[in-house]
C-alpha cells in the first residue's frame, strides 16, 4: 500500500475517534435540554431526539457541525446537508428553512454552532495566510469537509467548560485556531470575501445590515444601493448571488420571521404583529405568512405551542 494511502487511513481513523469524543461531550452537556448556551461566547450545543418539520430560521455568520445525525438547510432554491463529515459555514445573516433529518432517542441529533466575530476574521485575513482554494459560487453559505484538526480544536474548546476560569484566556486562542482552519480550508474563500475591506461581499453585508435594522420600512433600492456604495443593478445582482434572494425577498422573510416571534413569544395577535413589522394589508400578510410557514398565522402559532411540537 502506498504511503499516502496509509497516512490517509490513519487520519480517517483519528477523525472517527475524535468525532466520537466530541459526540460524547455534547451528549453529556445537553442531557438536560435541547439547547445549551455555553459560557464560551458564541458557542451553543444542540440535541434533538427526533426529526423535525421544516422550520424557518436565521443563520448568523458561523460554523455549524452535526456530530451525530444530520440537518438540511434550504436557502432559496439551494439545499445544504451537514453531518459528521461536512460542516456548514455561513458568512452573512441568511433567512433559511431548516430540518433535522436524522435523530432518535437512541441516537439523538447532536450538534454545535460557533458564531464568528467578523472583526477578528478580518484581522486574520490581513495576515499572511496560505491561499485558499478558488470558489465556484459566491453564495454566503456552503458545506465543507470536516478535518481532524478542526474537530480536535472543537474538543479543546468544549473541554474548557469543565473549568470556566480558563475560558477568558484560552477560548479566544482556540477560536482563532478554528477560524484559521476554516480560512485555509476548502471553504475559506467565503469568509475571506466577507472580511476583506472594500470587497463586493462586504459591501453587500453592509446592505444586509441596513435591511436588518430597517426591515419595517419601505425599501428604496436607490437608498440600499447607496448603503452598499453600488449601482442599483450591481447591488441586485450581487445581493442575490450572495443570499439567493432579492433584497425585497430578504426583507419579506425578516418581517415574517419577526412577526412569528412576536406572536409566539409576546402573545401578539396576527393583525398587530403584521402592523408592527411593516405590513399595511392584513390579507397580504396572511397570504405571505402562509406561503413561508405552510399555515395561516393562528394555526401555525397553535401548532408551535403544542408541547409535542418538533
Amino acid at each position: 500500500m502506498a504511503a499516502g494511502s496509509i497516512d490517509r487511513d490513519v487520519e480517517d481513523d483519528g477523525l472517527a475517534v475524535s468525532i466520537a469524543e466530541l459526540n460524547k461531550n455534547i451528549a453529556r452537556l445537553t442531557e438536560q435540554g435541547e439547547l445549551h448556551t455555553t459560557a464560551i461566547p458564541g458557542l451553543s450545543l444542540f440535541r434533538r431526539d427526533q426529526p423535525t418539520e421544516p422550520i424557518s430560521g436565521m443563520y448568523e455568520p458561523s460554523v455549524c457541525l452535526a456530530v451525530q445525525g444530520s440537518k438540511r438547510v434550504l436557502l432559496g432554491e439551494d439545499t445544504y446537508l451537514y453531518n459528521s463529515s461536512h460542516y456548514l459555514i455561513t458568512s452573512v445573516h441568511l433567512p433559511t428553512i431548516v430540518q433535522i433529518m436524522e435523530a432518535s432517542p437512541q441516537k439523538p441529533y447532536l450538534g454545535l454552532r460557533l458564531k464568528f466575530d467578523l472583526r477578528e476574521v478580518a484581522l486574520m485575513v490581513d495576515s499572511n495566510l496560505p491561499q485558499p482554494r478558488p470558489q465556484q459560487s459566491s453564495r454566503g453559505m456552503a458545506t465543507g469537509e470536516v478535518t481532524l484538526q478542526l474537530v480536535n480544536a472543537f474538543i479543546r474548546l468544549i473541554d474548557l467548560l469543565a473549568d470556566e476560569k480558563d475560558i477568558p484566556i484560552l477560548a479566544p486562542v482556540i477560536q482563532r485556531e478554528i477560524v484559521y482552519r476554516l480560512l485555509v480550508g476548502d471553504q475559506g474563500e467565503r469568509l475571506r470575501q466577507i472580511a476583506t475591506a472594500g470587497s463586493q461581499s462586504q459591501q453587500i453585508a453592509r446592505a444586509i445590515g441596513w435591511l436588518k435594522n430597517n426591515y419595517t420600512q419601505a425599501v428604496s433600492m436607490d437608498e440600499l444601493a447607496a448603503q452598499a456604495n453600488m449601482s442599483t443593478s450591481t447591488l441586485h445582482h450581487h445581493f442575490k448571488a450572495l443570499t439567493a434572494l432579492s433584497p425585497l425577498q430578504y426583507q419579506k422573510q425578516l418581517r415574517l420571521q419577526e412577526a412569528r416571534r412576536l406572536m409566539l413569544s409576546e402573545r401578539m395577535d396576527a393583525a398587530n404583529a403584521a402592523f408592527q413589522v411593516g405590513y399595511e394589508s392584513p390579507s397580504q400578510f396572511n397570504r405571505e405568512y402562509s406561503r413561508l410557514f405552510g399555515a395561516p398565522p393562528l394555526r401555525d402559532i397553535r401548532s408551535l405551542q403544542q408541547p409535542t411540537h418538533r
Side-chain angles (χ1 to χ4, degrees):
M1 183 181 293
S5 298
I6 294 174
D7 291 342
R8 180 64 183 176
D9 288 344
V10 170
E11 182 169 344
D12 287 346
D13 290 344
L15 179 58
V17 170
S18 291
I19 288 174
E21 181 178 352
L22 189 57
N23 186 326
K24 181 178 66 175
N25 292 343
I26 295 176
R28 174 174 49 81
L29 290 165
T30 56
E31 285 179 342
Q32 302 306 314
E34 295 179 343
L35 168 64
H36 179 51
T37 303
T38 73
I40 297 171
L43 178 67
S44 299
L45 308 178
F46 303 91
R47 178 192 195 113
R48 293 302 287 264
D49 291 335
Q50 60 184 8
T52 65
E53 297 297 322
I55 57 173
S56 65
M58 178 69 72
Y59 267 72
E60 300 177 57
S62 59
V63 58
C64 299
L65 177 63
V67 296
Q68 185 166 273
S70 65
K71 182 179 284 189
R72 182 173 66 181
V73 180
L74 304 180
L75 173 64
E77 296 181 355
D78 298 340
T79 300
Y80 303 90
L81 186 72
Y82 66 97
N83 48 33
S84 62
S85 299
H86 293 87
Y87 61 80
L88 182 82
I89 189 171
T90 308
S91 58
V92 291
H93 288 78
L94 294 171
T96 60
I97 303 295
V98 184
Q99 183 177 19
I100 292 175
M101 305 298 292
E102 297 175 57
S104 69
Q106 296 75 31
K107 292 189 69 175
Y109 169 87
L110 298 170
L112 62 81
R113 178 188 64 212
L114 180 64
K115 297 179 186 177
F116 296 133
D117 182 339
L118 292 177
R119 292 167 300 180
E120 285 290 326
V121 176
L123 290 174
M124 294 185 69
V125 168
D126 288 339
S127 60
N128 291 322
L129 291 176
Q131 287 299 309
R133 302 175 193 176
Q135 302 296 318
Q136 300 301 315
S137 167
S138 57
R139 203 64 96 222
M141 177 175 280
T143 56
E145 188 174 344
V146 171
T147 64
L148 178 60
Q149 295 90 339
L150 184 64
V151 173
N152 284 343
F154 273 120
I155 289 172
R156 284 185 278 109
L157 186 65
I158 290 175
D159 282 347
L160 296 179
L161 296 172
D163 194 350
E164 294 187 2
K165 74 177 189 305
D166 295 335
I167 289 174
I169 302 299
L170 296 181
V173 177
I174 301 173
Q175 286 171 316
R176 280 177 61 83
E177 179 188 346
I178 290 169
V179 170
Y180 170 80
R181 298 295 179 192
L182 294 169
L183 284 170
V184 300
D186 57 0
Q187 297 300 332
E189 180 63 20
R190 296 177 197 280
L191 273 184
R192 295 185 194 220
Q193 287 174 352
I194 215 69
T196 300
S199 69
Q200 288 177 329
S201 294
Q202 191 180 71
Q203 290 172 287
I204 296 300
R206 284 204 302 271
I208 288 172
W210 189 91
L211 279 175
K212 288 178 77 272
N213 292 327
N214 299 277
Y215 64 88
T216 62
Q217 302 179 22
V219 174
S220 161
M221 291 302 296
D222 290 340
E223 183 176 359
L224 193 61
Q227 292 291 329
N229 196 26
M230 288 177 162
S231 70
T232 302
S233 60
T234 301
L235 168 75
H236 193 278
H237 173 76
H238 288 291
F239 195 103
K240 191 155 190 176
L242 190 66
T243 68
L245 302 166
S246 72
L248 289 176
Q249 289 171 327
Y250 189 99
Q251 181 201 39
K252 183 188 299 182
Q253 294 212 20
L254 288 178
R255 285 180 167 185
L256 293 171
Q257 289 189 16
E258 174 61 10
R260 195 188 209 194
R261 186 195 69 80
L262 290 171
M263 289 184 287
L264 187 62
S265 302
E266 301 186 20
R267 307 292 181 178
M268 195 175 288
D269 63 70
N272 280 322
F275 178 76
Q276 190 81 10
V277 300
Y279 277 91
E280 297 180 358
S281 165
S283 60
Q284 181 185 3
F285 171 73
N286 288 340
R287 185 168 59 251
E288 293 182 352
Y289 189 101
S290 299
R291 190 177 301 134
L292 180 61
F293 298 120
L298 184 59
R299 193 191 330 155
D300 176 59
I301 297 304
R302 283 177 176 169
S303 172
L304 291 172
Q305 289 170 337
Q306 295 298 318
T308 56
H309 177 80
R310 291 291 180 183

